[in-house]
Amino acid sequence: MDLVLLPDAATDAERAAVDGVVGTVSEPRRDLLLPAFHAVMDGVGWISRGALSYVCERLHVPPAEAYGVATFYALFSVTPRAPRVAHVCDDVGCAAFGGEDLCAAMEERLGAPGERDDVTWTRSPCLGLCERAPAVFLQRASASPPSEREGNPDATRALESSPHDDEPGGDHAQIAPATADAVVHALDGEDVPGPDPVVSTPQAGAPDLELLSRVGVVDPADLDSYRAAGGYAGLRRALAVGSARVVDEITVASLTGRGGAAFPTGTKWAAVAGSPEPEKYLVCNADESEPGTFKDRVLMEADPFALVEAMTVAGIAVGARTGYLYVRGEYPAAERAIERAVAEARRHGYLGDDVMGSGRVFDIEVRRGAGAYICGEETALMNSLEGRRGEPRAKPPFPTVAGLFGRPTVINNVETLVNVLRIVAEGGPAFASVGSGRSTGTKLFCLSGVVSRPGVYEVPMGTTLRELLELAGGVPADLRAILLGGAAGSFVTPDQLDVPLTLEGTREIGATLGSGVVLCFDSSTDFAAVLRRIAGFFRDESCGQCVPCRVGTVRQEEALARIVRGREIGGRTVELQLLRDVDRVMTDASICGLGQTAASAVRSALALGLIGEETS
Amino acid sequence: MTVVDLGTIRRLVSVTVDDVEHRVPEGATIMDVLDDAGADTPRLCQAPNLTPVNACRVCVVEVEGSRPLVPSCARRVEDGMVVRTDTERVAHSRKMVLELLASANDLSEAGDDVARWQIEYGADPERYGPPGPPAAAGERGNRHAGHHSLPDGETRATVAQPVTVDNDLYVRDYARCILCYKCVEACGTDAQNTFAIAVAGRGFDATISTEFAVPLPDSACVYCGNCIGVCPTGALKSVAEHERREAGTWDPEGETVTSTICSFCGVGCTLELHVQDNTIVNVTSPHDHSVTHGHLCIKGRFGFQHVQNR
Amino acid sequence: MFGAGGGTSAYQEVEETDLVLLWGSNARETHPIYFHHVLTGLRNGAEMYVVDPRRTSTARWAKGHLPLDVGTDIALAHGMGRAILDAGLENRAFIERATTGFDEYRRTVEQWSVERAAAVTGVDADLIRETALAFARADRAQLCWTLGITEHHNAVDNVRALINLALLTGHVGRWGSGLVPLRGQNNVQGGGDMGAIPNKLPGGYDVTDDAHRARFDAAWGSSVPPVKGLHLSQMFEAMERREIRAAYVVGENPAESEADVAHARALLSGLDHLVVQDIFRTATAELADVVLPSCADWCEYEGTVTSSERRVQRVRKALDPPGLARPDTEILCDLARRLGHDWGTPSAEQVWDELRSLSLDWHAGMSYARLEAEGGLQWPCPSLDHPGTPTMHTRLWERDPALRGAPAPFAPVEHAGPLDELSPEFPLRLTTVRRLDSYNSGVQTGGYASPLRRDEALCLDAADGLALGLHDGERVRVVSRRGAVEAPVRFDAAARPGLAFITPHFSEQVDVNLITNEAWDPQSGTSEFKATAIRIEKLSATVRVPVAGS
């Protein structure tokens, strides 16, 4: 095509960063756009005109479109900024639990966000480390700050001590719980210890676990350790019984998606397996971003081979030769664990042109998200994988018909996929015997907030909320409300603790399992602040494509602000009607689940009287 | 009973709209059926010569079996589909879309249809409070995704901002831009394939932008003006129209529109000359003509000045 | 083509074809809306090859770009033909059933091995072969060309060489397969169809065809000379011989657009009487004894024009013409009256209906009402109930010889390079090109403020420029065998070593036709605008500087 590029030239450092991802060929590879931008961010700390033009030239992407992509993602910057940035979570799981205090301390140490050009900090939506609040995510580019680069654009200064020598382009790290001291030291290049899965998984080592059975038991970096714990028995069996049988078992198991939408997994698999199209894809949605959710992160950090094996089973079963694993950009430890596991599996013949000697072809590409909650929506994620803005697509056509690159695609959440191993090992009926109705098997829940032992818990479907809280040290004293299912879920109150945690049970009380969030608040909670944070979250994370969500989330946040500040236009009743009107159009007419659930938590909080009087 | 003619022979399917059965060719959209039945279905981002993006959501209808409403512009009919347009839910969503847009955008040049729908559906943008101050030039394009300052709700956020005039042919008045994506599509794969503009930023802060918001003359823009041709709100318009509007001499009532053929190359594009006071003020092309599909090049759209340098 | 001077395919066919071969056409810039159809075709899965000396914006969309040396098109076409024959990919059945002259054609291309074609054209042999085989293997293919084929001294031979390729592969006369000459002007097709070419009557009838001429004679009440008239280049030669002493120039600007324009201006100035009828006070009008101001027909009067897909469409009056300007037909009828013939004051529609009454095969069915209602019609359209003809020459595929009609002839044309040959004295090839926002001599497009417009410059490959010791933007003297002009140079990636280009749009800046070659094609009368041998001289130095590669 006849690209027109800006005249700005890329620096050597920018070229090197891009070349590291793209190699030497120049071809239409829009799907490498995000990896290329990541490389530039990691190496240089921001995406300059020259860098963007160079990326466009190499990948044959029009620069306006590339710019549209770069500016869509929160982790990319198209303006110069400090090469090392601390993202401090001020979301609902952290704010009241040290997050706001940490923000204040950071401001004291480093000034306002963006003030300094060597190291700086910014507020962040939920980082998926809620069990260890307050949480911080660090972007540490290898470049020296802009002021030191003046007159010497190619100057780069390596981190004083790079914790990961395999990432010369800079690195990422998480700190949780974080202190201002620890963050500042880490920004200066100090090593940051890796995660301890056991801390996040209080049940670790307990005998009756399925999904979490290997957490804390196997060495996530060691394939032998995984195999010693029964790893790859599932794939062996899947290859032995054949794809059709595997798909049947998943269907019989009645496994439903664990990412929040709870769609029957077997239906997706059968549709793609049965498609006559020659090219198909499997995608693992590891873009876990629902505030309060961290289960997939723990699975990937602690038991990455399980996911790799499960993806292999799934990919072969549905006839895909390539699986994409889209991991949240703020999950560096999980990404590293998965990358390592994929490489190990490939080295040992568990991935590649001849999986376990079966003659079947399957391999996994790991791609990193870049700071966009919406990319957890399956079609937005596919757009992101293709190097586009993470805007959801119209459905139909559904991904099973036209998904990634327009091909039939199965997209499953991490937890969903890990369940596959058990189903393959035990058979569908055994899996279906746990739980009831559409809610079968075990389910992971993410407990945080005012609970004694926050973390990921695995319980059979049907366990009550009260029983779940008991596992985590008992029903918290002075419990006022629980955000169930995430920011897209709703609040429940202490009188609803006996709800069975099933799709059906939660629906009966007007709630949802969502992504398994159980975020507990006591009566000291400033619910006005919580609601405004949730409203602000959706306003920030709306992709902007459709009117109901793009404008509705803004109007919802403004109306809440007026209500909280006692500045209602025409009185509270009028404002509540306005909120209901906005709620309805977002719920009824938004393109995707984000808009359709953007009013859910606010609606339930208002109904329960968490701010002001009860409204229904 | 209605039959929508799509030009080629297709299997007929049965669709029920508000209790009336229609036999329509497979592949028709719900909007095709509604249009043919004479319904006044509001639309903003839909255009017959562009791929539906179904972003505005003002054309939504109820479809049995679907919890959310569905965009009639994009959804293709299926046999046995049951559609309702006459429900309170549909009316509410349409009203709210029009109201939310009017609360954030200047819709004063969005045409008579939009004005009529605003009244018909009872859109009341003023209930969101007084509009906030306009953004400084270029400020909206510099907002970082995922970050905004906490509003106090005293005023309603809008997209108001100064008009961008960076070339002699057309202006970009983004205070009117409703992000319908039409201009991006016309600049992109639906017609021109120049890709000079795209949606940048995210959410309410999303804008239509060149790379790094450079002026059009520094971008890939080839001034075909096909973006103007599809813009539904007057956010994109010719300098000629802009100047007349500014000077108060814009006279849509006195405008004549005459079809003719472009005087330049041998492709033979149909031009619609919009003439006010014996002066061509705009040039468009009919979307349903097999030669242009409504799209032109710079010469066809702007190269008429030689007949009025009198 | 094959007796009808028009493209064989409708635009829409390129959207539904499998291969697009654009030859000497920068359609992205010169036919942008046709290129929309091409792009749709590419998105639908078609592949495109582009033959062009320059790496144009069109070429940048192609799967393969064949950067041939200017004026070597026949060598390339023959090389491709030989490659197709060598691979056994010629369409035997079509050739046998629907063509004549194949054996002679085969003998002609036999001498053009791909390697020889590569040596003559400068195009990589593998690329020639790839393109040829892709063209031959495609189920459907469109072969389009523009001025890169026709602005040569052997324009008609060039076209014939391309037609040979279509006949060889059967890529003509089927939906999606055809030949598309993209016309440079909005009514160059219609003008010819109306008889404004030296050997044709309106409707495409040959002036030497007694039967048809008799109909015209009867209708017009006069006697049409049965001899082929002069084309433009011949007229200038006749002026030179002082056989033509007066000229009536309607809507043409030869004082600017002719090759070797200084010569043309001298001839026009030397006429006894020059009448110019135009909407502008053109350079030619400046030389005229009488100027008749006319309407811009496309917006100040009524009528029709005919496009590159033979679509006749209506132009209409949208503006009142300025001052004394009048429609061309009114001026002509008035003139006739002064000369003693009362043609009345026919409306545009009456003029058209007269044409329909005579152009029985092409236009008879095209009433104004139908043109209005149907968005134009494609000829042939012989009757009011005829739908028009998107694809021509489908007859060639008929099994019944009676329906098939006259076979299409192969033309054993020979390669002949540009007459203005490169030499040590004139080592650089200059070709004239057009830009998206401008049009021919610029009289129309000069009127609007295009943000794309840049000052005229001689565009050069940077390597050539540097070898000459030039810097980007430096003013130089450009010298050909006919004259010299001054121009700044611009280093442009679309050029390549040995090739320079410039536009004809801005004669007030660079009067490029002072140096182009007036040598013209004896068959079409088109001059060799595309191939001029030049050298570049630094203004600061009197010494000639060598050019890279010479």
Side-chain angles (χ1 to χ4, degrees), chain A residues 303-514:
Chain A
D303 194 12
F305 287 104
L307 179 56
V308 171
E309 182 188 355
M311 282 185 70
T312 312
V313 171
I316 289 174
V318 302
R321 285 177 301 182
T322 305
Y324 284 88
L325 194 154
Y326 187 94
V327 59
R328 189 175 177 197
E330 293 88 341
Y331 279 2
E335 187 198 350
R336 274 194 293 274
I338 285 289
E339 290 271 22
R340 212 159 29 211
V342 166
E344 276 297 284
R346 197 178 288 139
R347 204 160 66 84
H348 285 91
Y350 291 105
L351 289 172
D353 292 340
D354 184 16
V355 173
M356 287 185 89
S358 67
R360 303 297 297 265
V361 178
F362 186 75
D363 212 329
I364 295 175
E365 269 202 52
V366 180
R367 293 291 176 83
R368 201 197 317 168
Y373 168 71
I374 186 59
C375 289
E377 199 281 339
E378 57 186 14
T379 57
L381 187 151
M382 290 175 198
N383 274 340
S384 187
L385 277 176
E386 292 179 16
R388 301 176 189 281
R389 296 164 58 79
E391 293 173 356
R393 302 171 181 173
K395 294 188 273 192
F398 292 94
T400 49
V401 175
L404 186 63
F405 304 115
R407 307 293 186 176
T409 301
V410 163
I411 177 162
N412 287 141
N413 157 271
V414 172
E415 181 188 347
T416 314
L417 281 165
V418 173
N419 269 300
V420 165
L421 297 180
R422 179 184 175 195
I423 294 168
V424 170
E426 298 178 3
F431 187 89
S433 71
V434 180
S436 63
R438 288 184 61 228
S439 311
T440 57
T442 58
K443 174 84 193 85
L444 297 183
F445 288 94
C446 313
L447 274 66
S448 62
V450 291
V451 289
S452 313
R453 289 193 295 156
V456 180
Y457 289 84
E458 179 179 6
V459 292
M461 287 278 199
T463 304
T464 66
L465 187 50
R466 186 183 305 281
E467 289 164 346
L468 179 63
L469 290 172
E470 294 296 343
L471 280 176
V475 176
D478 201 19
L479 180 70
R480 175 68 179 93
I482 296 171
L483 182 59
L484 189 63
S490 56
F491 287 94
V492 297
T493 45
D495 57 332
Q496 295 173 307
L497 294 184
D498 292 315
V499 60
L501 294 171
T502 57
L503 300 170
E504 299 85 351
T506 48
R507 180 173 307 135
E508 210 152 278
I509 62 164
T512 167
L513 285 182

Side-chain angles (χ1 to χ4, degrees), chain C residues 179-428:
Chain C
L179 295 154
V180 184
L182 293 163
R183 306 302 195 178
Q185 296 159 342
N186 80 332
N187 199 30
V188 72
Q189 178 73 49
D193 298 347
M194 297 306 113
I197 34 180
N199 59 334
K200 295 287 181 185
L201 291 162
Y205 304 106
D206 206 284
V207 288
T208 57
D209 185 323
D210 295 338
H212 286 298
R213 202 179 60 255
R215 290 194 296 110
F216 284 86
D217 287 350
W220 290 347
S222 88
S223 169
V224 180
V227 289
K228 191 173 165 177
L230 303 181
H231 56 59
L232 189 56
S233 300
Q234 289 169 326
M235 289 182 197
F236 277 94
E237 289 188 347
M239 289 180 209
E240 180 126 50
R241 296 191 303 270
R242 301 187 65 78
E243 289 166 17
I244 286 183
R245 299 305 311 138
Y248 180 11
V249 178
V250 184
E252 181 84 23
N253 185 16
E256 210 145 40
S257 58
E258 281 300 281
D260 195 0
V261 75
H263 189 210
R265 283 173 203 161
L267 292 172
L268 288 168
S269 304
L271 291 170
D272 297 343
H273 193 65
L274 176 63
V275 182
V276 171
Q277 182 168 317
D278 207 299
I279 64 171
F280 298 108
R281 194 172 177 88
T282 59
T284 311
E286 296 289 345
L287 305 174
D289 299 287
V290 177
V291 176
L292 300 168
S294 65
C295 292
D297 285 338
W298 66 281
C299 64
E300 292 170 349
Y301 192 56
E302 306 286 320
T304 65
V305 292
T306 308
S307 75
S308 302
E309 59 172 355
R310 293 167 281 102
R311 183 184 296 274
V312 177
Q313 302 184 101
R314 286 272 282 108
V315 293
R316 295 177 182 83
K317 177 174 173 168
L319 298 174
D320 293 327
L324 299 172
R326 301 168 65 195
D328 290 313
T329 45
E330 268 186 46
I331 297 173
L332 285 168
C333 289
D334 253 13
L335 201 60
R337 200 167 6 257
R338 298 283 182 92
L339 294 170
H341 296 273
D342 183 5
W343 293 354
T345 51
S347 68
E349 185 170 7
Q350 285 169 326
V351 173
W352 178 252
D353 284 341
E354 190 220 38
L355 169 87
R356 288 174 56 215
S357 72
L358 293 165
S359 176
L360 301 176
D361 300 296
W362 289 0
H363 298 106
M366 297 182 179
S367 66
Y368 262 31
R370 282 194 74 191
L371 293 175
E372 178 94 30
E374 298 176 43
L377 285 162
Q378 287 165 280
W379 61 251
C381 178
S383 61
L384 281 170
D385 59 359
H386 190 283
T389 309
T391 309
M392 279 194 81
H393 305 303
T394 52
R395 65 176 174 83
L396 294 172
W397 294 87
E398 294 286 351
R399 288 183 175 281
D400 179 351
L403 294 172
R404 199 153 68 223
F410 277 95
V413 295
E414 291 294 346
H415 163 69
L419 297 179
D420 203 13
E421 288 179 13
L422 298 182
S423 67
E425 206 179 350
F426 299 101
L428 201 58

Side-chain angles (χ1 to χ4, degrees), chain A residues 119-198:
Chain A
V119 291
T120 192
W121 71 286
T122 182
R123 288 171 179 266
S124 169
C126 178
L127 290 168
L129 296 158
C130 322
E131 82 280 16
R132 289 181 274 140
V136 167
F137 166 69
L138 299 164
Q139 282 179 298
R140 299 192 291 189
S142 54
S144 47
S147 58
E148 291 177 29
R149 287 200 298 267
E150 265 168 40
N152 184 12
D154 289 334
T156 54
R157 189 183 67 183
L159 286 170
E160 315 252 316
S161 62
S162 176
H164 301 289
D165 293 337
D166 54 332
E167 289 186 28
D171 81 334
H172 311 89
Q174 298 150 302
I175 311 179
T179 63
D181 271 347
V183 174
V184 169
H185 288 147
L187 285 172
D188 283 339
E190 196 167 277
D191 203 352
V192 178
D196 178 356
V198 177

Side-chain angles (χ1 to χ4, degrees), chain B residues 19-20 25 38 82 96 99-100 119 143 179 182 186 192 207 243 249 256 268 273 275 285 288 297 306:
Chain B
D19 301 322
V20 179
V82 178
M96 288 299 292
E99 180 173 292
L100 290 173
I119 294 165
R143 297 180 184 175
L179 283 180
K182 282 174 167 176
Q192 180 55 33
T207 59
E243 287 178 348
T249 57
T256 60
L273 304 180
V275 174
S285 186
D288 57 353
C297 77
H306 63 274

